[in-house]
Amino acid sequence: MDAKKIIQDGKAILGIEFGSTRIKAVLIDPEYNPIAQGSHTWENQLVGGLWSYSIESIWYGLQDCYANLRANVKEQYDIEIGQLAAIGVSAMMHGYMPFDKSGNILVPFRTWRCTNTGKAAAELSELFVFNVPLRWSISHLYQAILDDEPHVKDIDFLTTLAGYIHWQLTGKKVLGVGDASGMIPVDPATKSYNAEMVAKFNQLIAPKGFPWKLEDILPESLEAGKDAGSLSEAGARKLDVSGHLKAGAPFCPPEGDAGTGMVATNAVRPRTGNVSAGTSSFSMIVLEKDLNKPHEVIDIVTTPDGSPVAMVHCNNCTSDLNAWVGLFKEYNEIMGIPVDMGKIFVNLFNHALKGDPDCGGIVSYNYVSGEPVTGFADGRPLFVRSATDKFNLANFMRSIISGAIGVLKIGNDILFKEEKIKVDRITGHGGLFTTPVVGQSILAAALNSPISCMETAGEGGPWGMAILASYLINKKGLSLADFLDMVVFAGNTGTEIAPTPEAVEGFNKYIENYKASLPVEAAAVKYKH
């Protein structure tokens, strides 16, 4: 069947993902190939000192993204999307979206990027004997309680961005277990919220006398492949304002961007892992057993089918890198040189490989916002060099790319060196890997591990979400890991690059310089104007 007939017959599957800077939609055929796509660019805003996206921008963004997808279908196939076989929605994880009984949001959406929850996260980590990160929903909720915010008593439903969109499109207050595990810890045995921790939290806040218990306001946690409702008539109109899309398409559980990254890289089986590198970065290593002890910089979440995962999450990755490349674009423009951003990226990235493995002593900090792994509640992008460093374009670019994954290296050293975690395969995906070989080889040096990239690396989260939607209707009794191994990827593990000893030694030297210069970054933050 050709793509046009697949869409006409309602057999196409839609995956949508709300990233930090782009909302993306991918339409796939029954063989998991992308056949159309759409996108919308957006940005978070500081509202009252907290990072947020307005409800209006969420819906305008979704509708514009879908309209862009429709236009892509119209341009390629000269048809409209009338019916879909299945739909899945994913989004950046964590954060805080509390709603009252009437469905109104009580405070502006607080995203994963907010770092005001330090006191709450520390107290909950001690209470649960479990590392609770700043960005988790339970940290936001408890911080609001500690701050005596008046809205807390009126909470009827608390969810993530993916859970909110799903609820509005289907009427179902549910969440995929992977995204749920970024709200409050999940018990891998039950695939739902840890009952002991929920009880401890209820007891902790009991003196406040709120009219709700935690379990009453959280979305239901669902494993991959479970029925999560269907597109309602109202949902169809909210998604497609043109009115062509019919209601009724089944939805898989909404997931976080970490879960879709695991799916897109076939990394849901124990001893596999992936690195997602875009606006933020994170590594996910699927565990065979529990860690020996909690680590403040390592989060324990789950795969979309509920297996425990060690996650190192970094608030910053490519934003500063993109800003520097934008500077070179501006230089081209003032020199009257035709500007092709794709070519600028490719040429600068490839030139980075000509740099010294330790970047000639140059260090780059990409801290557009705070970076909890290295202990920064706030950040300031910073480029550090001495008069004796080898300052040239190759070392400059290699330092900027290395700096984008520096914090990731620091976190993963705990897993591999202290916890002795074993991994058979790590796969990279996201914008950092769009230029072949470069990001892949530098990451391999950072983690001292072979890194694989697949042809689908650029597809990323929305494609992974579409795969989860496909699994809902095509699983045929297979586990998610077997479905990915045997059906979607059919043995394809991508192209692997192993690090050289020289590259590993060079990155280790770079990271020592990086850690030694952290007081410089601290001073830059302290005296930030």
Side-chain angles (χ1 to χ4, degrees), residues 43-54 108-111 113-116 368-370 377-379 528-529:
E43 286 187 28
N44 52 194
Q45 307 293 328
L46 268 176
V47 179
L50 299 173
W51 293 105
S52 184
Y53 301 86
S54 69
F109 171 32
R110 298 170 183 175
T111 80
R113 206 168 196 173
C114 299
T115 54
N116 65 308
V368 173
S369 65
D378 197 3
K528 185 177 180 180
H529 60 75

Tab-separated table of all heavy atoms in Angstrom, residues 43-54 108-111 113-116 368-370 377-379 528-529:
chain	number	residue	atom	x	y	z
A	43	GLU	N	8.617	28.765	22.804
A	43	GLU	CA	9.614	29.017	23.837
A	43	GLU	C	8.931	29.166	25.183
A	43	GLU	O	7.822	29.678	25.273
A	43	GLU	CB	10.404	30.296	23.541
A	43	GLU	CG	11.418	30.175	22.420
A	43	GLU	CD	12.277	31.428	22.306
A	43	GLU	OE1	12.463	32.107	23.332
A	43	GLU	OE2	12.745	31.708	21.194
A	44	ASN	N	9.659	28.697	26.231
A	44	ASN	CA	9.132	28.928	27.581
A	44	ASN	C	9.343	30.381	27.987
A	44	ASN	O	10.153	31.099	27.399
A	44	ASN	CB	9.751	27.980	28.604
A	44	ASN	CG	11.276	27.950	28.598
A	44	ASN	OD1	11.866	27.059	29.189
A	44	ASN	ND2	11.927	28.895	27.953
A	45	GLN	N	8.575	30.802	28.981
A	45	GLN	CA	8.644	32.174	29.486
A	45	GLN	C	8.859	32.140	30.994
A	45	GLN	O	8.407	31.221	31.676
A	45	GLN	CB	7.332	32.928	29.180
A	45	GLN	CG	6.901	32.900	27.732
A	45	GLN	CD	7.845	33.662	26.817
A	45	GLN	OE1	8.449	34.651	27.236
A	45	GLN	NE2	7.987	33.213	25.575
A	46	LEU	N	9.551	33.158	31.496
A	46	LEU	CA	9.675	33.293	32.942
A	46	LEU	C	8.438	34.016	33.469
A	46	LEU	O	8.175	35.154	33.090
A	46	LEU	CB	10.933	34.085	33.303
A	46	LEU	CG	12.208	33.281	33.550
A	46	LEU	CD1	13.388	34.230	33.788
A	46	LEU	CD2	12.061	32.338	34.737
A	47	VAL	N	7.674	33.326	34.297
A	47	VAL	CA	6.462	33.901	34.879
A	47	VAL	C	6.620	33.860	36.397
A	47	VAL	O	6.653	32.789	36.997
A	47	VAL	CB	5.201	33.109	34.448
A	47	VAL	CG1	3.951	33.714	35.099
A	47	VAL	CG2	5.074	33.084	32.938
A	48	GLY	N	6.747	35.046	37.001
A	48	GLY	CA	6.963	35.095	38.445
A	48	GLY	C	8.224	34.377	38.873
A	48	GLY	O	8.277	33.766	39.951
A	49	GLY	N	9.254	34.404	38.025
A	49	GLY	CA	10.517	33.757	38.340
A	49	GLY	C	10.554	32.271	38.054
A	49	GLY	O	11.554	31.605	38.340
A	50	LEU	N	9.475	31.720	37.481
A	50	LEU	CA	9.401	30.286	37.189
A	50	LEU	C	9.171	30.063	35.694
A	50	LEU	O	8.417	30.801	35.052
A	50	LEU	CB	8.258	29.641	37.986
A	50	LEU	CG	8.374	29.743	39.517
A	50	LEU	CD1	7.104	29.219	40.179
A	50	LEU	CD2	9.594	28.982	40.023
A	51	TRP	N	9.822	29.029	35.148
A	51	TRP	CA	9.681	28.731	33.720
A	51	TRP	C	8.308	28.144	33.432
A	51	TRP	O	7.853	27.239	34.138
A	51	TRP	CB	10.772	27.762	33.283
A	51	TRP	CG	12.151	28.350	33.335
A	51	TRP	CD1	13.121	28.092	34.270
A	51	TRP	CD2	12.714	29.310	32.433
A	51	TRP	NE1	14.252	28.819	34.007
A	51	TRP	CE2	14.034	29.577	32.883
A	51	TRP	CE3	12.238	29.953	31.288
A	51	TRP	CZ2	14.875	30.474	32.217
A	51	TRP	CZ3	13.085	30.842	30.635
A	51	TRP	CH2	14.386	31.095	31.100
A	52	SER	N	7.661	28.651	32.383
A	52	SER	CA	6.274	28.257	32.114
A	52	SER	C	5.948	28.360	30.634
A	52	SER	O	6.646	29.027	29.858
A	52	SER	CB	5.313	29.163	32.901
A	52	SER	OG	3.975	28.749	32.733
A	53	TYR	N	4.903	27.661	30.239
A	53	TYR	CA	4.221	27.843	28.954
A	53	TYR	C	2.748	28.081	29.288
A	53	TYR	O	2.181	27.358	30.112
A	53	TYR	CB	4.318	26.599	28.061
A	53	TYR	CG	5.716	26.157	27.711
A	53	TYR	CD1	6.430	25.325	28.565
A	53	TYR	CD2	6.315	26.538	26.510
A	53	TYR	CE1	7.710	24.888	28.244
A	53	TYR	CE2	7.590	26.108	26.179
A	53	TYR	CZ	8.284	25.279	27.052
A	53	TYR	OH	9.549	24.849	26.730
A	54	SER	N	2.134	29.058	28.657
A	54	SER	CA	0.734	29.345	28.953
A	54	SER	C	-0.171	28.283	28.333
A	54	SER	O	0.202	27.611	27.362
A	54	SER	CB	0.347	30.726	28.412
A	54	SER	OG	0.336	30.706	26.984
A	108	PRO	N	0.107	29.024	36.838
A	108	PRO	CA	0.733	28.745	35.545
A	108	PRO	C	1.593	27.481	35.602
A	108	PRO	O	2.242	27.205	36.620
A	108	PRO	CB	1.595	29.991	35.295
A	108	PRO	CG	0.910	31.078	36.056
A	108	PRO	CD	0.357	30.416	37.285
A	109	PHE	N	1.556	26.712	34.533
A	109	PHE	CA	2.337	25.486	34.392
A	109	PHE	C	3.793	25.730	34.805
A	109	PHE	O	4.460	26.616	34.280
A	109	PHE	CB	2.239	25.043	32.926
A	109	PHE	CG	3.154	23.913	32.518
A	109	PHE	CD1	3.524	22.901	33.397
A	109	PHE	CD2	3.629	23.851	31.215
A	109	PHE	CE1	4.354	21.863	33.003
A	109	PHE	CE2	4.452	22.821	30.790
A	109	PHE	CZ	4.821	21.828	31.684
A	110	ARG	N	4.281	24.941	35.759
A	110	ARG	CA	5.682	25.030	36.187
A	110	ARG	C	6.436	23.856	35.555
A	110	ARG	O	6.116	22.701	35.829
A	110	ARG	CB	5.774	25.011	37.715
A	110	ARG	CG	5.064	26.201	38.338
A	110	ARG	CD	4.920	26.122	39.854
A	110	ARG	NE	4.169	27.282	40.343
A	110	ARG	CZ	3.799	27.459	41.607
A	110	ARG	NH1	4.124	26.557	42.526
A	110	ARG	NH2	3.123	28.540	41.969
A	111	THR	N	7.433	24.172	34.739
A	111	THR	CA	8.075	23.127	33.946
A	111	THR	C	9.216	22.461	34.709
A	111	THR	O	9.621	22.896	35.795
A	111	THR	CB	8.633	23.694	32.630
A	111	THR	OG1	9.888	24.339	32.889
A	111	THR	CG2	7.670	24.681	31.992
A	113	ARG	N	12.130	22.769	34.206
A	113	ARG	CA	13.296	23.644	34.263
A	113	ARG	C	13.351	24.464	35.550
A	113	ARG	O	14.377	25.055	35.882
A	113	ARG	CB	13.278	24.582	33.049
A	113	ARG	CG	14.618	25.077	32.619
A	113	ARG	CD	14.561	25.752	31.261
A	113	ARG	NE	15.889	25.881	30.703
A	113	ARG	CZ	16.149	26.308	29.482
A	113	ARG	NH1	15.147	26.629	28.690
A	113	ARG	NH2	17.382	26.398	29.049
A	114	CYS	N	12.257	24.507	36.290
A	114	CYS	CA	12.208	25.303	37.516
A	114	CYS	C	13.060	24.646	38.610
A	114	CYS	O	13.011	23.429	38.793
A	114	CYS	CB	10.774	25.447	38.009
A	114	CYS	SG	9.681	26.271	36.829
A	115	THR	N	13.815	25.477	39.324
A	115	THR	CA	14.717	24.945	40.356
A	115	THR	C	14.427	25.548	41.729
A	115	THR	O	15.313	25.652	42.576
A	115	THR	CB	16.180	25.232	39.958
A	115	THR	OG1	16.328	26.623	39.694
A	115	THR	CG2	16.592	24.429	38.742
A	116	ASN	N	13.171	25.921	41.967
A	116	ASN	CA	12.787	26.548	43.235
A	116	ASN	C	12.401	25.531	44.294
A	116	ASN	O	11.976	25.913	45.389
A	116	ASN	CB	11.599	27.492	43.009
A	116	ASN	CG	10.352	26.744	42.571
A	116	ASN	OD1	10.403	25.972	41.613
A	116	ASN	ND2	9.240	26.959	43.252
A	368	VAL	N	22.500	27.590	30.384
A	368	VAL	CA	21.475	28.604	30.123
A	368	VAL	C	20.572	28.737	31.344
A	368	VAL	O	20.106	29.819	31.698
A	368	VAL	CB	20.657	28.232	28.864
A	368	VAL	CG1	19.485	29.183	28.673
A	368	VAL	CG2	21.563	28.248	27.631
A	369	SER	N	20.322	27.614	32.008
A	369	SER	CA	19.570	27.616	33.267
A	369	SER	C	20.377	26.830	34.291
A	369	SER	O	21.493	26.384	34.014
A	369	SER	CB	18.189	26.981	33.067
A	369	SER	OG	18.314	25.614	32.738
A	370	GLY	N	19.829	26.654	35.496
A	370	GLY	CA	20.520	25.921	36.546
A	370	GLY	C	20.830	24.483	36.140
A	370	GLY	O	20.225	23.932	35.217
A	377	ALA	N	21.750	26.205	41.009
A	377	ALA	CA	20.326	26.554	40.947
A	377	ALA	C	20.051	27.537	39.819
A	377	ALA	O	18.928	27.675	39.354
A	377	ALA	CB	19.868	27.146	42.269
A	378	ASP	N	21.091	28.234	39.378
A	378	ASP	CA	20.978	29.171	38.262
A	378	ASP	C	22.222	28.993	37.402
A	378	ASP	O	23.210	28.395	37.841
A	378	ASP	CB	20.871	30.609	38.786
A	378	ASP	CG	20.337	31.584	37.735
A	378	ASP	OD1	19.994	31.135	36.622
A	378	ASP	OD2	20.262	32.790	38.047
A	379	GLY	N	22.170	29.492	36.183
A	379	GLY	CA	23.310	29.289	35.302
A	379	GLY	C	23.650	30.519	34.490
A	379	GLY	O	22.867	31.472	34.409
A	528	LYS	N	25.970	37.720	38.160
A	528	LYS	CA	25.153	37.853	36.948
A	528	LYS	C	24.317	39.120	37.024
A	528	LYS	O	23.635	39.372	38.018
A	528	LYS	CB	24.237	36.617	36.843
A	528	LYS	CG	23.419	36.527	35.586
A	528	LYS	CD	22.641	35.206	35.614
A	528	LYS	CE	21.790	35.038	34.383
A	528	LYS	NZ	21.044	33.769	34.409
A	529	HIS	N	24.356	39.917	35.978
A	529	HIS	CA	23.587	41.167	35.991
A	529	HIS	C	22.171	40.918	35.506
A	529	HIS	O	21.877	39.912	34.876
A	529	HIS	CB	24.272	42.212	35.116
A	529	HIS	CG	24.425	41.809	33.675
A	529	HIS	ND1	23.392	41.798	32.771
A	529	HIS	CD2	25.520	41.372	33.009
A	529	HIS	CE1	23.833	41.402	31.598
A	529	HIS	NE2	25.110	41.126	31.702
